[in-house]
């Protein structure tokens, strides 16, 4: 009898402990703004997603204890890259080497695993086009693997003769831009035929040259933005590949860069740059002026821990509206991947303060 009572007490204590340690969305803290009040905020930290529980507000309980915990497919490991489509967020996870789909409609997380010719080995970057096609840069395959909106394999672009270490990919019009860290170039392919068209850049420090470029994106005009990581700067190119602009220099002061990672551009042409050393995101105007930075090192809500990928999302705002302060009106979402720490995907809202 005593053994039964001890077992029951242990189970109850376990459930209470698990419930108290839930890592669900941080909805009980005071609103976190950037900049902070009394300045007029432009961003609000909304939520952190680290597992499927965070989408449902579920707290681990008796079933998790008895069955040995939650499914690992439903937990984010080391998210490195992120993109969004209507009703979905897609992440590349460096632990499982999977693409994880966060379905905001069904509040579920599931891996997109392809076999055969579409099997991924070491995915690194992802781009989603307006028609829902997914372009995935794979380091080990030395290719960009293309899937349709239903996640069916379509084709592979490039091979070991044209790509050595493709880290990220972006698509604009009929061009596929692939950032190759080993070749110190951006390699350009025809989107339809898969034929290599040209390469932008070479190793060096001058305008238009690279030293280990890692991340790329394109703006609404088709201009190419490249993280020239080991030169501690961002470079901007016209659609034809001509150099336009440099943003940032090496340093440890606001506006400089120490370990730049993911880049994104909003509809107004403002540039967002993740820095894994500063553990923040800096926002620059189209002219290269520092406008704002947010995040920062730490474990508290809104902070970052080895951030990497970033994406801007205009279509899924309604799914996060419940976290928004009544005095703040969101225009779009910003996702930032944290490769370690408790909060793996930070969700911020950019908008306007409408309070007094």
């Amino acid at each position: 009898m005593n053994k039964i009572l001890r077992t029951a007490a242990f189970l109850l204590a376990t459930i209470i402990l698990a419930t108290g340690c839930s890592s669900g969305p941080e909805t009980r803290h005071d609103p976190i703004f950037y900049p902070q009040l009394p300045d007029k905020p432009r961003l609000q930290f909304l939520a952190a997603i680290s597992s499927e529980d965070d989408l449902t507000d579920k707290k681990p309980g008796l079933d998790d204890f008895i069955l040995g915990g939650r499914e690992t497919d439903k937990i984010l490991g080391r998210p490195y890259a992120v993109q969004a489509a209507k009703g979905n967020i897609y992440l590349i996870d460096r632990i499982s080497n999977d693409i994880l789909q966060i379905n905001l409609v069904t509040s579920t997380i599931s891996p997109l695993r392809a076999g055969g010719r579409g099997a991924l080995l070491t995915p690194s970057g992802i781009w989603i086009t307006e028609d829902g096609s997914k372009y995935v840069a794979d380091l080990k395959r030395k290719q960009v693997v293309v899937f349709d909106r239903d996640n069916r394999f379509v084709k592979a672009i490039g091979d070991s003769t044209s790509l050595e270490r493709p880290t990220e990919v972006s698509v604009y019009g009929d061009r596929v831009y692939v950032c190759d860290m080993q070749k110190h170039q951006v390699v350009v392919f025809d989107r339809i035929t898969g034929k290599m068209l040209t390469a932008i850049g070479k190793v060096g420090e001058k305008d238009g040259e690279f030293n280990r470029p890692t991340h790329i994106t394109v703006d609404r005009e088709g201009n190419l933005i490249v993280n020239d990581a080991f030169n501690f700067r961002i470079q901007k190119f016209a659609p034809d590949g001509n150099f336009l602009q440099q943003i940032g220099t090496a340093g440890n002061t606001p506006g400089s860069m120490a370990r730049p990672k993911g880049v994104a551009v909003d509809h107004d042409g403002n540039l967002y740059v993740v820095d894994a050393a500063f553990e923040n995101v800096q926002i620059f105007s189209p002219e290269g002026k520092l406008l704002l930075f947010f995040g920062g090192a730490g474990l508290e809500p809104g902070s970052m821990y080895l951030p990497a990928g970033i994406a801007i999302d205009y279509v899924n705002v309604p799914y996060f509206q419940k976290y928004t302060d009544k005095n703040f009106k969101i225009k779009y979402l910003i996702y930032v991947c944290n490769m370690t720490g408790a909060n793996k995907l930070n969700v911020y809202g950019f908008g306007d303060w409408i309070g007094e």
Side-chain angles (χ1 to χ4, degrees), residues 50-71:
S50 298
S51 73
E52 194 172 276
D53 292 347
D54 294 333
L55 301 172
T56 60
D57 293 329
K58 173 189 173 184
K59 294 182 178 180
L62 181 60
D63 288 345
D64 295 306
F65 173 76
I66 293 176
L67 298 176
R70 295 163 291 178
E71 297 178 57

Side-chain angles (χ1 to χ4, degrees), residues 5 40 45 56 68 80 87 102 119 126 147 152 171 209 260 274 279 293 306-307 313 316 347 350:
L5 290 175
K40 285 191 175 182
F45 170 71
T56 60
Y80 182 76
I102 300 176
I126 182 171
F147 303 90
R152 295 173 300 199
V171 180
E209 298 177 344
V274 176
E279 295 188 305
F293 58 87
L306 285 182
D313 177 6
N316 291 315
V347 184
F350 188 98

Side-chain angles (χ1 to χ4, degrees), residues 195-209:
K195 178 182 177 181
M196 178 180 168
L197 300 176
T198 188
I200 301 170
K202 61 180 181 179
V203 64
E205 300 178 353
K206 298 178 180 178
D207 292 346
E209 298 177 344

